């Protein structure tokens, strides 16, 4: 394995841990008892929250970077 492949796998590992962390943080927002039965979606019906908060933006970017990292690691390991 080349140093580039090892570096790409390490970056992929860090991104996966970050994505899990941000996803769990977003899940805690609707973790009350009503959220278990789907009432957490009622807050977004009439646009109560406009746009993304900073945690949601970080989760979105972590997901995008993780997807790109998946393709890069797959391409490097296929060689």
């Amino acid at each position: 394995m080349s140093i580039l492949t090892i570096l790409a796998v390490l970056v992929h590992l860090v991104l996966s841990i970050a994505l899990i962390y941000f996803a769990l943080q977003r899940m805690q927002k609707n973790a009350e008892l009503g959220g278990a039965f789907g009432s957490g979606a009622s807050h977004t019906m009439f646009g109560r929250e406009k746009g993304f908060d900073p945690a949601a933006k970080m989760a979105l970017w972590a997901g995008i970077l993780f997807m790109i990292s998946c393709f890069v690691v797959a391409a490097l390991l296929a060689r």
Side-chain angles (χ1 to χ4, degrees):
M1 287 176 101
S2 69
I3 192 78
L4 180 63
T5 305
I6 294 171
L7 183 64
V9 170
L10 288 176
V11 168
H12 186 71
L13 181 67
V14 169
L15 283 173
S16 65
I17 292 170
L19 185 60
I20 291 169
Y21 174 76
F22 289 129
L24 289 176
Q25 289 297 321
R26 297 293 299 159
M27 286 175 56
Q28 287 180 358
K29 187 175 182 181
N30 294 328
E32 10 351 275
L33 182 61
F37 300 107
S39 72
S42 66
H43 297 297
T44 61
M45 181 180 255
F46 297 108
R48 185 174 180 185
E49 295 181 16
K50 297 287 183 186
F52 290 131
D53 58 341
K57 288 179 184 177
M58 291 172 62
L60 175 69
W61 281 107
I64 290 170
L65 291 174
F66 179 77
M67 185 181 69
I68 293 169
S69 175
C70 286
F71 292 125
V72 169
V73 169
L76 287 174
L77 290 176
R79 293 197 275 156

